[in-house]
Amino acid sequence: MDIYRFFHPHHNPRLVNTALRYTELSELLQAAVELRKALERAQQRTSRQSKPPILPEHFTDIIKAQRFIEASLQTLCEVHPGDSEEELSGIAVERTSSSGWESWTKNVQAGLGGK
């Protein structure tokens, strides 16, 4: 997962003076949900065949904390005013050269009228 590089100015110097965008927040929320699902699967696998010292109950607090993170990110998404067309266009430009984002950038640019 390379989501970190979309938030760190070292990887994208344009982010130094850029406010956090709704698209980025929603992607963090999506990543948090995926992490929780992976933790739940790890807990299930451990339940079927535990390998001490890692036991299924070790995942309980981690999953609870992850749900808190999801709820907190959801709150931030709800209060964010959303991205303007200019911000969406900027994100698409930033990701145009990133591997794996070709379809995403094409869809965003098509939704913006091909800008």
Side-chain angles (χ1 to χ4, degrees), residues 2-103:
D2 62 358
I3 194 167
Y4 173 75
R5 68 185 174 121
F6 292 112
F7 292 90
H8 198 291
H10 172 75
H11 297 284
N12 184 351
R14 293 176 61 189
L15 297 178
V16 172
N17 296 316
T18 303
L20 192 60
R21 298 165 287 197
Y22 177 81
T23 301
E24 296 166 322
L25 274 176
S26 64
E27 290 167 346
L28 282 176
L29 176 56
Q30 182 180 7
V33 169
E34 292 298 319
L35 177 57
R36 179 187 40 84
K37 289 178 180 178
L39 289 166
E40 290 170 343
R41 285 290 172 199
Q43 184 181 41
Q44 289 174 356
R45 287 177 57 196
T46 305
S47 294
R48 287 191 296 271
Q49 196 170 21
S50 63
K51 187 170 182 130
I54 299 172
L55 302 172
E57 54 269 16
H58 290 127
F59 289 92
T60 304
D61 287 339
I62 298 169
I63 293 169
K64 187 184 297 185
Q66 191 62 28
R67 287 187 188 281
F68 173 78
I69 291 169
E70 287 176 41
S72 299
L73 285 168
Q74 181 64 47
T75 299
L76 292 177
C77 286
E78 289 169 1
V79 299
H80 195 286
D83 295 334
S84 66
E85 285 189 16
E86 181 180 319
E87 288 169 320
L88 279 174
S89 179
I91 295 170
V93 168
E94 289 169 18
R95 295 179 179 180
T96 299
S97 61
S98 299
S99 176
W101 289 91
E102 297 85 2
S103 295

